[in-house]
Amino acid sequence: MADRRPDHPLREHARGVLYVVVLAGAVLLAGLTIMALFVWAVA
Amino acid sequence: MSVILRPGADDLRLIGFYLGRVLLGLGLVMLVPTGVAVAAGEWNSASAFVVGASLCVIIGAASDAKLATRRSLTWAHGMVITALAWVIGAIFAGIPMYLSGRFDSPLDALFEGMSALTTTGMSVIHDLDHTPLSEDLYRHLLQFVGGQGIVIVVLSLFAAGGARIASLYTSEAREERILPNFIRAARFILLVAGTFLVLGTAALFVALLVAGFEPGRAFYHAINLFFASFDTGGFSVMQSSMMYYHSLSVEIVVMVLMIAGTISFGLHFALWRGNPRELLRHLESRTLAATSLVFLVVLCFGLLYAGTYSDLESMFRKGLFTLVSAVTSTGHQVNVGDTYLTDWGVMAPAAIVGAMAIGGMASSTAGGIKAMRVGLAIKTLFHDIRRILLPESAVQVTTYHAGGRRRILRDETSRAATTVLLLFIVTYLIGAMAALAYGEHDITQTLFEAVSVGSNIGISIGVVSPEMPNGLMGIYIVMMWLGRLEFVAVFALLGYLVSLARGRAKA
């Protein structure tokens, strides 16, 4: 398979940051959900 | 029996030359807080920085002029330079700190310098709340330099020649010329760090404005908080660490930055290239997700069982924040001193200690054993169990995904990962026992602190303080150094010293 042409650097920057922020957001949301389940179960 | 060759004068010149370059770089870094000190009229701090920077630049320039050699940098040189760079860097970084008058002794300043450059974040400074702007910036800037520095070293030196953190980086990389790797790695790392520096500082600035800070003060806190969070350092400009801000939005931005900082630069690269599937398949991210989930469940159960917090907001802002701070090896605190042990029951602190011990991802600024090694150790365990259960003639092949492809788990990889894992555990125990020997703290306190120091985390329950014994401070300095360099570079240095003393001269 032929190598894909690299994207414009700015596009790579934006994509890299976006993925990291989405990942971190997902991690925090997952943590919050699990904690909410525990709090709800105890209440 | 293999013959050890004694390094020649050229080798030592080369090592001296590059250590001089390190000092030259450190001297240039000191010019930044010097400028801030002059602009802010902090003349005491400015004079301390001028002395420190002058020493670094003079020695660096002298070694540049006197020690230049045509020899190429090899893997062995790189390892020795790395091990010595963190020692010499911490010594020279401590000079302006000691001259500032905020530390009791040169040893205290050395501790602070090592803590900064290893991104540990433990502090023995006096009167932190009234530290001048330039000195705050300097301590945080050192975390950025040390943090990005270690990633460059890991990517260009430890992982040279395609070898990864899993192996002890020997056969493939030993003869490789490492300078091109170094430059390539440095370019990408500074690009990513620079992008996050701009965006992270801006996000923190806005969050601090929302929290009611004036623009100038918001910017000052934002830039320092960014360095401490993205570089998983954990220094703070205020004694009360994150509690000072009383702001959910600041805490959320800091958590995002801590997570961004603990992602390995290999995965950053994959994400920048538009390959998020790598994150889902990589052994390290899977291990980190699984272990963090276990620690989160234990933490929730522990906190609710102990009755420490009962509402979701407290659980999130205290519990989850501390867990993220521990897993990412940052060390920002939302609780005071030993309340983690006195108010959190038994299981919650145990979860935090476990998270601190494992730490974040390899080739990031995070410290600790590293999720990659834990993942490999677990794979090794299952591999061995299968080997016991299956007939002797059966061929057992265990694979894992890393670096964009599926790899076979080899014996040397398993051995290297488990050896370093064991060395970390031994270091934690030695640190805990040493502190215990001074008789001022119990085993839970000393173990908590030893794991935090050895993993370069920085969450302190109060063992580390300006009043701590000098002997213990010395042990903690060595622990931070060993933990940051993951033992490998230090062993290479020891081997080099042995070959200097006992090796046979080259023909």
Side-chain angles (χ1 to χ4, degrees):
Chain A
M1 197 172 76
D3 280 348
R4 211 173 50 151
R5 261 179 59 189
D7 284 335
H8 190 277
L10 264 180
R11 197 182 163 92
E12 283 193 339
H13 282 218
R15 188 170 52 204
V17 172
L18 186 68
Y19 275 133
V20 171
V21 172
V22 168
L23 169 71
V27 168
L28 295 182
L29 200 61
L32 186 67
T33 308
I34 291 168
M35 285 189 149
L37 284 173
F38 267 90
V39 172
W40 173 75
V42 169
Chain B
M1 201 179 98
S2 61
V3 177
I4 305 172
L5 288 178
R6 188 187 306 157
D10 253 14
D11 295 301
L12 299 180
R13 279 174 72 101
L14 187 74
I15 291 166
F17 172 76
Y18 277 99
L19 287 175
R21 284 280 171 97
V22 169
L23 282 184
L24 207 55
L26 186 60
L28 294 177
V29 168
M30 286 184 196
L31 293 181
V32 177
T34 308
V36 173
V38 170
E42 297 166 350
W43 301 113
N44 181 51
S45 309
S47 59
F49 289 128
V50 167
V51 172
S54 304
L55 276 173
C56 288
V57 171
I58 289 167
I59 296 173
S63 72
D64 220 43
K66 297 285 179 189
L67 300 177
T69 166
R70 291 188 167 202
R71 287 227 36 193
S72 299
L73 199 61
T74 62
W75 181 88
H77 296 130
M79 284 292 192
V80 174
I81 292 164
T82 300
L84 290 174
W86 258 261
V87 176
I88 290 172
I91 292 170
F92 279 81
I95 290 173
M97 290 182 181
Y98 181 60
L99 294 176
S100 73
R102 292 182 180 275
F103 295 89
D104 287 336
S105 68
L107 186 68
D108 287 28
L110 172 63
F111 181 93
E112 194 83 0
M114 186 62 90
S115 177
L117 287 174
T118 56
T119 72
T120 305
M122 294 272 190
S123 185
V124 289
I125 194 170
H126 278 291
D127 198 17
L128 181 61
D129 290 354
H130 301 104
T131 309
L133 303 181
S134 56
E135 290 176 31
D136 272 336
L137 180 66
Y138 175 58
R139 291 164 64 247
H140 287 80
L141 196 56
L142 284 179
Q143 293 201 318
F144 184 71
V145 171
Q148 299 312 312
I150 196 66
V151 182
I152 293 170
V153 165
V154 168
L155 283 182
S156 60
L157 181 60
F158 291 7
R164 294 282 177 230
I165 195 82
S167 71
L168 270 177
Y169 336 108
T170 47
S171 56
E172 288 179 77
R174 187 158 283 179
E175 295 308 320
E176 184 164 328
R177 301 289 179 261
I178 64 159
L179 207 52
N181 281 331
F182 186 89
I183 294 166
R184 234 186 353 253
R187 262 192 208 136
F188 177 69
I189 286 159
L190 292 178
L191 194 68
V192 174
T195 306
F196 275 99
L197 171 64
V198 174
L199 296 176
T201 306
L204 283 167
F205 177 71
V206 172
L208 286 160
L209 285 181
V210 171
F213 280 61
E214 293 167 8
R217 198 160 167 71
F219 180 72
Y220 157 68
H221 279 267
I223 189 97
N224 285 316
L225 255 182
F226 171 81
F227 288 143
S229 306
F230 182 72
D231 285 282
T232 63
F235 268 156
S236 174
V237 294
M238 304 306 286
Q239 195 72 45
S240 48
S241 189
M242 290 303 298
M243 289 167 281
Y244 176 74
Y245 301 104
H246 290 294
S247 164
L248 178 63
S249 53
V250 172
E251 287 161 18
I252 288 174
V253 176
V254 165
M255 280 195 273
V256 169
L257 288 173
M258 289 193 286
I259 293 168
T262 204
I263 295 173
S264 80
F265 271 78
L267 283 176
H268 269 295
F269 187 72
L271 293 176
W272 283 49
R273 283 290 156 96
N275 184 16
R277 287 183 64 190
E278 179 68 8
L279 191 72
L280 303 175
R281 290 186 298 187
H282 203 289
L283 174 66
E284 186 159 41
S285 44
R286 285 181 174 189
T287 307
L288 196 59
T291 52
S292 300
L293 182 65
V294 171
F295 290 133
L296 179 65
V297 169
V298 174
L299 180 82
C300 289
F301 191 76
L303 287 176
L304 291 170
Y305 185 75
T308 317
Y309 309 116
S310 55
D311 62 299
L312 185 58
E313 187 184 349
S314 301
M315 289 281 284
F316 180 77
R317 293 182 64 177
K318 299 285 186 182
L320 189 63
F321 187 95
T322 305
L323 185 64
V324 172
S325 179
V327 168
T328 60
S329 92
T330 308
H332 283 314
Q333 289 190 220
V334 282
N335 276 41
V336 182
D338 65 353
T339 51
Y340 286 115
L341 294 178
T342 56
D343 296 0
W344 276 33
V346 180
M347 291 172 70
I352 297 299
V353 170
M356 289 197 297
I358 292 177
M361 290 189 189
S363 72
S364 73
T365 61
I369 295 166
K370 304 280 165 33
M372 188 68 187
R373 290 199 182 93
V374 174
L376 287 168
I378 293 168
K379 284 261 177 193
T380 303
L381 182 68
F382 281 107
H383 178 84
D384 287 347
I385 290 171
R386 273 199 300 270
R387 198 159 54 185
I388 292 166
L389 295 176
L390 287 171
E392 210 170 303
S393 57
V395 177
Q396 267 295 300
V397 178
T398 301
T399 61
Y400 63 97
H401 190 97
R405 65 184 169 89
R406 189 144 282 279
R407 294 162 187 272
I408 293 171
L409 181 67
R410 299 185 190 285
D411 279 351
E412 60 264 35
T413 307
S414 298
R415 195 170 56 241
T418 47
T419 302
V420 176
L421 190 150
L422 190 66
L423 285 168
F424 265 105
I425 292 170
V426 170
T427 309
Y428 300 147
L429 291 178
I430 290 173
M433 294 297 174
L436 205 56
Y438 283 92
E440 292 172 15
H441 302 277
D442 64 35
I443 185 68
T444 52
Q445 292 171 312
T446 60
L447 193 60
F448 190 104
E449 204 84 348
V451 173
S452 185
V453 171
S455 288
N456 304 117
I457 310 282
I459 299 177
S460 175
I461 49 95
V463 178
V464 169
S465 74
E467 291 79 32
M468 70 191 286
N470 283 344
L472 186 59
M473 193 176 278
I475 290 169
Y476 280 177
I477 289 171
V478 174
M479 282 174 68
M480 288 190 279
W481 180 54
L482 284 170
R484 180 73 290 175
L485 300 177
E486 299 173 22
F487 303 96
V488 183
V490 178
F491 288 163
L493 172 65
L494 292 177
Y496 214 72
L497 293 176
V498 168
S499 62
L500 261 180
R502 301 183 57 183
R504 207 172 68 183
K506 288 176 191 168

